[in-house]
Amino acid sequence: MKISIGTSSESRSGCAGKGFGTIFFGLFFLMGSLFTVFMLAETWKQIEPWLWPATDCTILSSGVTETGDDEAAYRPLVRYRYEFDGQVRESDRFLRSGGDTASFDNARDRAARYQPGDAATCRVDSNHPSLAVLERNVPWIGLVIFFPLIFVAIGGGGLWTTWVGFSSNEKEVESISQKATSGRGQKFMVGFGLLFIAIGGAVFIPMALVPSIRSAASTSWRETPCTIVSSSMRSWSTDDGTSYRADVLYEYRVDDRSWRSNRVEFFGFLSTGYADAREILDRYPDRASATCWVNPRVPSKSVLERQFRFKHLLGLIPLVFILAGWGVANYGWKQMRVRKAAEEKTMEEASEDDSPRFLKPQVGPVGKVGGSLFFALFWNGIVSIFVWQAWKGWEQGNPDWFLTIFLVPFVLVGLASFGFVGHFLLALANPRPRLTLTPGQPRLGGELRLEWRFAGRSSRLASLRIFLEGREEATYQRGTDTITEREVFATFDLANTQNDWEIPQGAIELTVPSDSMHSFEADANKIIWEIKVEGEIARWPDIGQNFPITIRPIHIENL
Amino acid sequence: MMLTLHTTDGGSWFKPGELVEGRASWHLDQEVDAVEVRLFWYTTGKGTQDVGIVRALRIDSPDSSGHRDFSIRVPEGPYSFSGKLITLAWAIELVALPSGETERLDLRIGPQPVEVDLT
């Protein structure tokens, strides 16, 4: 049997699609490739000094200088002398990249490692002996190469699909079995999720975790008087406009020695707005007296403000990436296991184990509380940041009406989520059904026996319904949404009573129809069988629990 | 290229545990890496298509003309079924690799000669 695919109109639309796909994915591929080359060049620049010969040098002077660049205003300035190829030279290049930094402390600490007269080791480019460095960067920048590579992969994959995919459609025949995947999609999901976790972690650690740890450690630091040496607004252009930072350089004395620092707070990452920076400068004008907090064991470490501020919660935003990445990776991992289990089930005969089985609910009462609480905290945590922004506007007499109205539905969802938490908390006190199924995995056409009893006060139940339900579940993509549709094809009542002597415990037997469908689970399509327990409690959250079971095919010997 | 596929008795309904026996034949007008006989199930309907290959018999570097008798035992499931959202069907394919040219023979797998009706 030959199958022909493709008509003339399809061919025309195929050409248009091909053209659009080529331009769209070609741009992705081109931009990604350009950035990749750029990143490779930068990485190589940082690797090179590791290959240069080590050369003795003598430190001539050491200090900190201003760079004139507002984004990285300070640089360790260490001048050193070295001899190479019989010629004596001098340099003040600290790192290949210069070593510029926004932190005075950082520049000072780096320079302090080299005191005038000290002997040190520098690295000299043997091809250009005038180029030397005192320290070498670990080429971490090489890790960032994954970002442009994602674009290269998307662009390259898209181009491949556009051209190879289209040409395969024009073939005379189409194989269905060729579409059997090898689980590459799931592996990609796991990899993609882990990448998201890594990115989220790489941002979260310096933005929130390290500052939080430092902030906690600073509770034992000593209150010390200090003087503001300079107080200036730093600004620099970014992709999103202009960023601002209050650069407050202050001086304090510990044990008859002066120290300087420009660390205003530990969460400096989060203060890049003009208003924040202006507020800080207003608090610390030039030559003003102030109070700073100094580490008694390391007097060079200090901070002007160590208290927690609400805006520090912004540092939790990268957690969204981590959680999303975890969700994707976890889903991919579970799907890989489902696939493996499904393959094993198909290849082997169903289990011969007919022993009873204690059924576990799909989601228990504690799980429902945990899930709803997690959602409520997560949702309201994010929304509260914007509510706070809106509130600040109202407080300052400059309300942002658009933001306020925009936030209303989000706040309502947040309030409803806490309502659900309360509902599930109350449901924790409900009597809990305990079900035992014999055999643990019934067969089509076979008998099943279900025994139930309740842990807790079953006398509170006004009615009880237990039923077996079979349903189809089909998952598909619509745009960027993943949609799952469900269709019940069989319902068998096992118990349906309002008699208080029948509710606490009981047993029922049922013959599973032989002309129905057994449990089936693939990536996107499933046949699911569940035993459902529904109980009504007056003026209290009702019981509603689902217990998934496996219905096996008819035994081969009985066919 | 001509690919042909048929079961020994011409039947298309097989109960789980039975043997699907037949012959796969090919006449190739170009060299191929291999030909493969695959017993598999696949879904159609609302959900994204799932395909599961149960057994595959591979003949590497086949002659330009030849045949191979096959005998594959049908697993316990899944049954062929049709619901409101999902239809699961079975087939045997003879596929030339890597071109993917295919001959397919539709089968029904289940305890009854008709697919399980869930509608």
Side-chain angles (χ1 to χ4, degrees), chain B residues 66-94:
Chain B
H67 68 266
R68 167 79 177 262
D69 291 334
F70 59 84
S71 177
I72 305 172
R73 189 168 297 282
V74 177
E76 203 169 41
Y79 296 166
S80 301
F81 75 89
S82 181
K84 285 184 179 166
L85 300 177
I86 309 165
T87 293
L88 188 143
W90 281 82
I92 280 195
E93 279 187 350
L94 174 61

Side-chain angles (χ1 to χ4, degrees), chain A residues 180-258:
Chain A
T181 58
S182 56
R184 268 178 287 183
Q186 288 88 352
K187 285 175 191 163
F188 177 78
M189 284 177 83
V190 172
F192 194 71
L194 290 177
L195 183 67
F196 252 61
I197 292 172
I199 293 169
V203 179
F204 176 71
I205 290 170
M207 200 163 134
L209 188 63
V210 171
S212 298
I213 292 169
R214 285 179 175 163
S215 187
S218 72
T219 51
S220 62
W221 290 12
R222 275 192 202 132
E223 191 174 359
T224 306
C226 64
T227 306
I228 308 303
V229 176
S230 69
S231 178
S232 55
M233 177 75 82
R234 305 283 188 186
S235 64
W236 62 97
S237 294
T238 67
D239 294 340
D240 303 322
T242 306
S243 283
Y244 298 91
R245 188 183 58 250
D247 190 3
V248 180
L249 187 65
Y250 56 95
E251 191 172 82
Y252 55 95
R253 293 185 71 80
V254 176
D255 297 336
D256 293 332
R257 181 175 169 183
S258 281

Side-chain angles (χ1 to χ4, degrees), chain A residues 94-153:
Chain A
F94 195 82
L95 286 160
R96 184 82 195 266
S97 59
D100 299 357
T101 170
S103 164
F104 178 90
D105 300 37
N106 190 317
R108 178 204 60 211
D109 290 349
R110 282 183 152 178
R113 290 202 285 264
Y114 304 94
Q115 293 302 317
D118 282 357
T121 302
C122 57
R123 304 274 163 173
V124 182
D125 182 354
S126 49
N127 295 322
H128 308 91
S130 59
L131 182 59
V133 295
L134 206 49
E135 290 193 356
R136 297 166 294 180
N137 292 98
V138 177
W140 294 117
I141 194 171
L143 296 177
V144 186
I145 208 163
F146 286 110
F147 288 103
L149 280 179
I150 292 171
F151 284 79
V152 172

Side-chain angles (χ1 to χ4, degrees), chain A residues 26-41:
Chain A
L27 269 175
F28 258 77
F29 186 77
L30 187 68
M31 296 308 292
S33 301
L34 285 174
F35 274 106
T36 303
V37 170
F38 173 75
M39 298 305 302
L40 281 172

